[in-house]
């Protein structure tokens, strides 16, 4: 069995994914970490040097490489389901779970994680961050809601 978690950045995909994997005795993979290992640099660096199109193709390639695995829990990046036909591929190969987390909670988590805050988020006030995340969620909601199950 393959379980794939989708949702907004900082929605808890990696944290919950590791816990599910531990309880099921499955392997856990964070798709962003897999991409970074393959590209040998972090995601902001990929965006800065190669651009978003390159990143999204690398993300798709990494996703495809794990969709045939079993006994695995995969945490995707927040945008993974929203590009190409990624969400359809996920649903064909795995049990997909959408973690629907309140925007205010996501904003708090992003602000609290100073070591990993993305430059785009760091430049925003608290209200600007909430407004940005709310707008991003509205754009991505269609894809997230294709998941087999929603966890609130």
């Amino acid at each position: 069995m393959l379980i794939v978690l989708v949702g907004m950045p900082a929605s808890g995909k990696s944290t919950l994914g590791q816990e599910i994997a531990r309880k099921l005795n499955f392997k856990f993979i964070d798709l962003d970490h897999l991409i970074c290992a393959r590209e040998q640099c972090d995601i902001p660096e990929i965006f800065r040097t190669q651009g978003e199109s390159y990143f999204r193709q690398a993300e798709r390639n990494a996703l495809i490489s794990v969709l045939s695995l079993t006994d695995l829990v995969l945490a995707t990046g927040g945008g993974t389901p929203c590009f190409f036909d990624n969400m359809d591929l996920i649903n064909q190969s795995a049990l997909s779970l959408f973690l629907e987390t309140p925007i205010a909670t996501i904003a708090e988590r992003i602000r609290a994680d100073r070591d990993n805050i993305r430059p785009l988020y760091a430049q925003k006030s608290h209200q600007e961050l909430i407004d940005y995340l709310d707008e991003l969620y509205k754009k991505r909601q269609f894809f997230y809601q294709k998941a087999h199950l929603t966890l609130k």
Side-chain angles (χ1 to χ4, degrees), residues 114-139:
R114 284 286 171 208
D115 292 336
N116 293 314
I117 193 165
R118 294 180 185 182
L120 176 66
Y121 298 151
Q123 300 167 7
K124 298 183 183 313
S125 71
H126 183 71
Q127 188 57 52
E128 288 172 334
L129 180 59
I130 287 175
D131 293 344
Y132 172 80
L133 292 169
D134 188 54
E135 202 55 41
L136 186 62
Y137 176 75
K138 288 175 184 171
K139 291 177 184 174

Side-chain angles (χ1 to χ4, degrees), residues 47-138:
F47 270 79
R48 192 169 40 259
T49 61
Q50 303 292 330
E52 183 177 9
S53 294
Y54 179 91
F55 171 76
R56 294 299 176 192
Q57 188 60 57
E59 178 181 58
R60 179 177 171 76
N61 293 344
L63 175 66
I64 289 170
S65 75
V66 298
L67 287 180
S68 62
L69 302 177
T70 59
D71 298 338
L72 174 73
V73 178
L74 174 68
T76 63
T80 305
C82 308
F83 292 87
F84 307 105
D85 60 346
N86 289 348
M87 194 64 211
D88 294 332
L89 289 176
I90 290 167
N91 282 338
Q92 290 167 12
S93 304
L95 172 64
S96 58
L97 305 177
F98 166 38
L99 301 189
E100 189 171 21
T101 306
I103 296 298
T105 301
I106 292 171
E108 289 171 18
R109 289 176 181 170
I110 288 171
R111 289 274 181 228
D113 191 5
R114 284 286 171 208
D115 292 336
N116 293 314
I117 193 165
R118 294 180 185 182
L120 176 66
Y121 298 151
Q123 300 167 7
K124 298 183 183 313
S125 71
H126 183 71
Q127 188 57 52
E128 288 172 334
L129 180 59
I130 287 175
D131 293 344
Y132 172 80
L133 292 169
D134 188 54
E135 202 55 41
L136 186 62
Y137 176 75
K138 288 175 184 171

